[in-house]
PDB file of all heavy atoms in Angstrom:
ATOM      1  N   CYS O 175      32.008 123.182 117.829  1.00 92.00           N
ATOM      2  CA  CYS O 175      33.023 122.327 118.199  1.00 92.00           C
ATOM      3  C   CYS O 175      34.311 123.088 118.506  1.00 92.00           C
ATOM      4  O   CYS O 175      34.299 124.400 118.334  1.00 92.00           O
ATOM      5  CB  CYS O 175      33.373 121.354 117.063  1.00 92.00           C
ATOM      6  SG  CYS O 175      33.814 122.124 115.594  1.00 92.00           S
ATOM      7  N   LYS O 176      35.419 122.627 118.853  1.00 92.00           N
ATOM      8  CA  LYS O 176      36.711 123.306 119.116  1.00 92.00           C
ATOM      9  C   LYS O 176      37.187 124.070 117.976  1.00 92.00           C
ATOM     10  O   LYS O 176      37.589 125.144 118.091  1.00 92.00           O
ATOM     11  CB  LYS O 176      37.644 122.317 119.752  1.00 92.00           C
ATOM     12  CG  LYS O 176      38.996 123.077 120.087  1.00 92.00           C
ATOM     13  CD  LYS O 176      40.029 122.096 120.626  1.00 92.00           C
ATOM     14  CE  LYS O 176      41.312 122.855 121.010  1.00 92.00           C
ATOM     15  NZ  LYS O 176      42.312 121.866 121.495  1.00 92.00           N
ATOM     16  N   VAL O 177      37.023 123.440 116.762  1.00 93.00           N
ATOM     17  CA  VAL O 177      37.574 124.173 115.538  1.00 93.00           C
ATOM     18  C   VAL O 177      36.738 125.376 115.374  1.00 93.00           C
ATOM     19  O   VAL O 177      37.265 126.500 115.010  1.00 93.00           O
ATOM     20  CB  VAL O 177      37.346 123.180 114.355  1.00 93.00           C
ATOM     21  CG1 VAL O 177      37.687 123.892 113.061  1.00 93.00           C
ATOM     22  CG2 VAL O 177      38.233 121.931 114.568  1.00 93.00           C
ATOM     23  N   GLN O 178      35.426 125.288 115.545  1.00 92.00           N
ATOM     24  CA  GLN O 178      34.525 126.486 115.301  1.00 92.00           C
ATOM     25  C   GLN O 178      34.861 127.530 116.252  1.00 92.00           C
ATOM     26  O   GLN O 178      34.808 128.676 115.867  1.00 92.00           O
ATOM     27  CB  GLN O 178      33.044 126.040 115.471  1.00 92.00           C
ATOM     28  CG  GLN O 178      32.035 127.152 115.120  1.00 92.00           C
ATOM     29  CD  GLN O 178      32.130 127.531 113.627  1.00 92.00           C
ATOM     30  OE1 GLN O 178      32.497 128.620 113.410  1.00 92.00           O
ATOM     31  NE2 GLN O 178      31.849 126.673 112.663  1.00 92.00           N
ATOM     32  N   GLN O 179      35.233 127.224 117.525  1.00 92.00           N
ATOM     33  CA  GLN O 179      35.528 128.184 118.596  1.00 92.00           C
ATOM     34  C   GLN O 179      36.903 128.844 118.179  1.00 92.00           C
ATOM     35  O   GLN O 179      36.927 130.101 118.350  1.00 92.00           O
ATOM     36  CB  GLN O 179      35.725 127.385 119.886  1.00 92.00           C
ATOM     37  CG  GLN O 179      34.401 126.927 120.512  1.00 92.00           C
ATOM     38  CD  GLN O 179      34.550 126.192 121.763  1.00 92.00           C
ATOM     39  OE1 GLN O 179      35.736 125.882 122.143  1.00 92.00           O
ATOM     40  NE2 GLN O 179      33.561 125.716 122.289  1.00 92.00           N
ATOM     41  N   GLN O 180      37.804 128.096 117.602  1.00 92.00           N
ATOM     42  CA  GLN O 180      39.038 128.650 117.225  1.00 92.00           C
ATOM     43  C   GLN O 180      38.786 129.665 116.037  1.00 92.00           C
ATOM     44  O   GLN O 180      39.386 130.727 116.005  1.00 92.00           O
ATOM     45  CB  GLN O 180      40.106 127.669 116.762  1.00 92.00           C
ATOM     46  CG  GLN O 180      40.627 126.809 117.951  1.00 92.00           C
ATOM     47  CD  GLN O 180      41.561 125.667 117.445  1.00 92.00           C
ATOM     48  OE1 GLN O 180      41.057 124.590 117.094  1.00 92.00           O
ATOM     49  NE2 GLN O 180      42.844 125.910 117.288  1.00 92.00           N
ATOM     50  N   LEU O 181      37.969 129.297 115.154  1.00 91.00           N
ATOM     51  CA  LEU O 181      37.746 130.206 113.983  1.00 91.00           C
ATOM     52  C   LEU O 181      36.949 131.536 114.482  1.00 91.00           C
ATOM     53  O   LEU O 181      37.273 132.535 113.958  1.00 91.00           O
ATOM     54  CB  LEU O 181      36.869 129.512 113.049  1.00 91.00           C
ATOM     55  CG  LEU O 181      37.482 128.372 112.195  1.00 91.00           C
ATOM     56  CD1 LEU O 181      36.603 127.638 111.385  1.00 91.00           C
ATOM     57  CD2 LEU O 181      38.700 128.969 111.236  1.00 91.00           C
ATOM     58  N   GLN O 182      36.099 131.302 115.552  1.00 90.00           N
ATOM     59  CA  GLN O 182      35.331 132.502 116.027  1.00 90.00           C
ATOM     60  C   GLN O 182      36.375 133.503 116.666  1.00 90.00           C
ATOM     61  O   GLN O 182      36.263 134.646 116.607  1.00 90.00           O
ATOM     62  CB  GLN O 182      34.293 132.023 116.940  1.00 90.00           C
ATOM     63  CG  GLN O 182      33.436 133.215 117.522  1.00 90.00           C
ATOM     64  CD  GLN O 182      32.543 133.753 116.360  1.00 90.00           C
ATOM     65  OE1 GLN O 182      32.096 133.173 115.498  1.00 90.00           O
ATOM     66  NE2 GLN O 182      32.621 135.107 116.456  1.00 90.00           N
ATOM     67  N   GLN O 183      37.230 132.838 117.558  1.00 89.00           N
ATOM     68  CA  GLN O 183      38.279 133.773 118.179  1.00 89.00           C
ATOM     69  C   GLN O 183      39.162 134.351 117.146  1.00 89.00           C
ATOM     70  O   GLN O 183      39.517 135.568 117.349  1.00 89.00           O
ATOM     71  CB  GLN O 183      39.107 132.800 119.084  1.00 89.00           C
ATOM     72  CG  GLN O 183      38.308 132.282 120.255  1.00 89.00           C
ATOM     73  CD  GLN O 183      39.152 131.159 121.096  1.00 89.00           C
ATOM     74  OE1 GLN O 183      40.313 130.926 120.697  1.00 89.00           O
ATOM     75  NE2 GLN O 183      38.634 130.637 122.106  1.00 89.00           N
ATOM     76  N   ALA O 184      39.563 133.724 116.109  1.00 86.00           N
ATOM     77  CA  ALA O 184      40.362 134.312 115.115  1.00 86.00           C
ATOM     78  C   ALA O 184      39.653 135.489 114.401  1.00 86.00           C
ATOM     79  O   ALA O 184      40.405 136.478 114.099  1.00 86.00           O
ATOM     80  CB  ALA O 184      40.772 133.205 114.014  1.00 86.00           C
ATOM     81  N   SER O 185      38.332 135.382 114.150  1.00 85.00           N
ATOM     82  CA  SER O 185      37.572 136.490 113.554  1.00 85.00           C
ATOM     83  C   SER O 185      37.523 137.676 114.353  1.00 85.00           C
ATOM     84  O   SER O 185      37.341 138.845 113.868  1.00 85.00           O
ATOM     85  CB  SER O 185      36.186 135.961 113.134  1.00 85.00           C
ATOM     86  OG  SER O 185      35.502 135.635 114.342  1.00 85.00           O
ATOM     87  N   ASN O 186      37.620 137.529 115.731  1.00 85.00           N
ATOM     88  CA  ASN O 186      37.693 138.535 116.724  1.00 85.00           C
ATOM     89  C   ASN O 186      39.035 139.185 116.997  1.00 85.00           C
ATOM     90  O   ASN O 186      39.164 140.014 117.836  1.00 85.00           O
ATOM     91  CB  ASN O 186      36.962 138.231 117.977  1.00 85.00           C
ATOM     92  CG  ASN O 186      35.465 137.876 117.712  1.00 85.00           C
ATOM     93  OD1 ASN O 186      34.834 138.417 116.913  1.00 85.00           O
ATOM     94  ND2 ASN O 186      34.900 136.827 118.502  1.00 85.00           N
ATOM     95  N   SER O 187      40.014 138.542 116.361  1.00 83.00           N
ATOM     96  CA  SER O 187      41.427 138.905 116.716  1.00 83.00           C
ATOM     97  C   SER O 187      42.036 139.592 115.611  1.00 83.00           C
ATOM     98  O   SER O 187      41.753 139.234 114.323  1.00 83.00           O
ATOM     99  CB  SER O 187      42.224 137.665 117.054  1.00 83.00           C
ATOM    100  OG  SER O 187      43.560 137.965 117.124  1.00 83.00           O
ATOM    101  N   SER O 188      42.973 140.569 115.749  1.00 80.00           N
ATOM    102  CA  SER O 188      43.666 141.189 114.587  1.00 80.00           C
ATOM    103  C   SER O 188      44.659 140.241 113.999  1.00 80.00           C
ATOM    104  O   SER O 188      45.133 140.421 112.842  1.00 80.00           O
ATOM    105  CB  SER O 188      44.451 142.427 115.231  1.00 80.00           C
ATOM    106  OG  SER O 188      45.205 142.014 116.268  1.00 80.00           O
ATOM    107  N   GLN O 189      45.096 139.189 114.637  1.00 81.00           N
ATOM    108  CA  GLN O 189      46.036 138.327 114.159  1.00 81.00           C
ATOM    109  C   GLN O 189      45.476 137.379 113.105  1.00 81.00           C
ATOM    110  O   GLN O 189      46.167 136.894 112.263  1.00 81.00           O
ATOM    111  CB  GLN O 189      46.638 137.379 115.254  1.00 81.00           C
ATOM    112  CG  GLN O 189      47.696 137.942 116.157  1.00 81.00           C
ATOM    113  CD  GLN O 189      48.301 137.028 117.166  1.00 81.00           C
ATOM    114  OE1 GLN O 189      47.530 136.495 117.967  1.00 81.00           O
ATOM    115  NE2 GLN O 189      49.467 136.757 116.994  1.00 81.00           N
TER     116      GLN O 189
END
Side-chain angles (χ1 to χ4, degrees):
C175 60
K176 182 178 179 180
V177 175
Q178 188 60 248
Q179 292 172 358
Q180 289 177 271
L181 292 172
Q182 186 63 43
Q183 291 171 0
S185 67
N186 297 327
S187 169
S188 59
Q189 283 186 297

